[in-house]
Each structure stands twice: as structure tokens, then as C-alpha cells.
Amino acid sequence: MKEKTELPETQKNRKKSKLPILIVLAIAAFMIIKGIMLQPEISENIEQISDIQSQIDYEQQKAEEVDNLKEKVNSDEYIEKMAREKLGMIRKDEIVFIDVTSDEE
């Protein structure tokens, strides 16, 4: 019969100490690979965030313009300007000159 030969104590300790290192290396390799695989998605998300931030900035600018226009709309100067431009109105003390010459001859 064969006798079982036992490994010396130092060899047992070496095998035991290698196992946690291998586990840590395997986990690290998995995390690195997973990170590399997610990189395109991360880049796409960063681009979407940039686009959305641009839209937010644009909408904030438009909101400021609307607020400024709201303030102007109730002013007498704006009302007079719109009456002149859109409706062709004039003040009663103004003199209007109409150009009757025509370029069509």
C-alpha cells in the first residue's frame, strides 16, 4: 500500500495564501473588463447630458426674453410702437406724408 505523504507545513501555507490573491485578481480583472465594456455607454450618457444642458441654457434664455417682453408689453412706448407698426395708427397732432410717386412706369 501506498502511504500518504503529507506536505510540509510551509507548502500548505503557501497554497492557502495564494487563494485569496487569485480571488482578488479575478475580481479586479472582471471589474476592469466590465468598465471597458461600459465605456461607450458612459460616453453616450455624457453627450446626452451635454445636449440636455444646452437645451436648458437655451430655454432659460428664452424665459428671460419672455420676462423682459412681459415688462415691455405694459409700457406706453411698446403699445404706441405696436399701434404704429401693426395698425398704421398715428397721433392726432402728427402730419403724414404719403409718397405718391411710383417706381412702376
Side-chain angles (χ1 to χ4, degrees), residues 44 46-56:
E44 184 178 321
I46 289 172
E47 187 175 317
Q48 286 178 348
I49 289 170
S50 176
D51 290 344
I52 290 170
Q53 187 60 47
S54 296
Q55 289 175 350
I56 289 171

Side-chain angles (χ1 to χ4, degrees), residues 31-92:
M31 291 175 67
I32 290 170
I33 292 170
K34 190 68 172 172
I36 290 170
M37 291 172 60
L38 289 174
Q39 195 60 39
E41 187 176 338
I42 291 169
S43 297
E44 184 178 321
N45 289 344
I46 289 172
E47 187 175 317
Q48 286 178 348
I49 289 170
S50 176
D51 290 344
I52 290 170
Q53 187 60 47
S54 296
Q55 289 175 350
I56 289 171
D57 293 342
Y58 175 77
E59 293 300 328
Q60 286 176 341
Q61 183 181 6
K62 293 290 273 186
E64 283 181 25
E65 290 174 8
V66 168
D67 290 341
N68 291 338
L69 188 58
K70 271 194 222 177
E71 292 174 9
K72 288 181 183 179
V73 165
N74 294 327
S75 70
D76 290 338
E77 294 85 19
Y78 183 80
I79 293 170
E80 182 179 340
K81 179 181 175 187
M82 288 296 112
R84 288 177 181 272
E85 289 178 6
K86 304 291 181 183
L87 303 174
M89 299 178 82
I90 59 169
R91 290 185 178 171
K92 55 183 164 179

Side-chain angles (χ1 to χ4, degrees), residues 94-105:
E94 289 182 325
I95 300 173
V96 178
F97 294 97
I98 301 173
D99 185 12
V100 291
T101 59
S102 165
D103 290 339
E104 299 175 24
E105 288 186 24

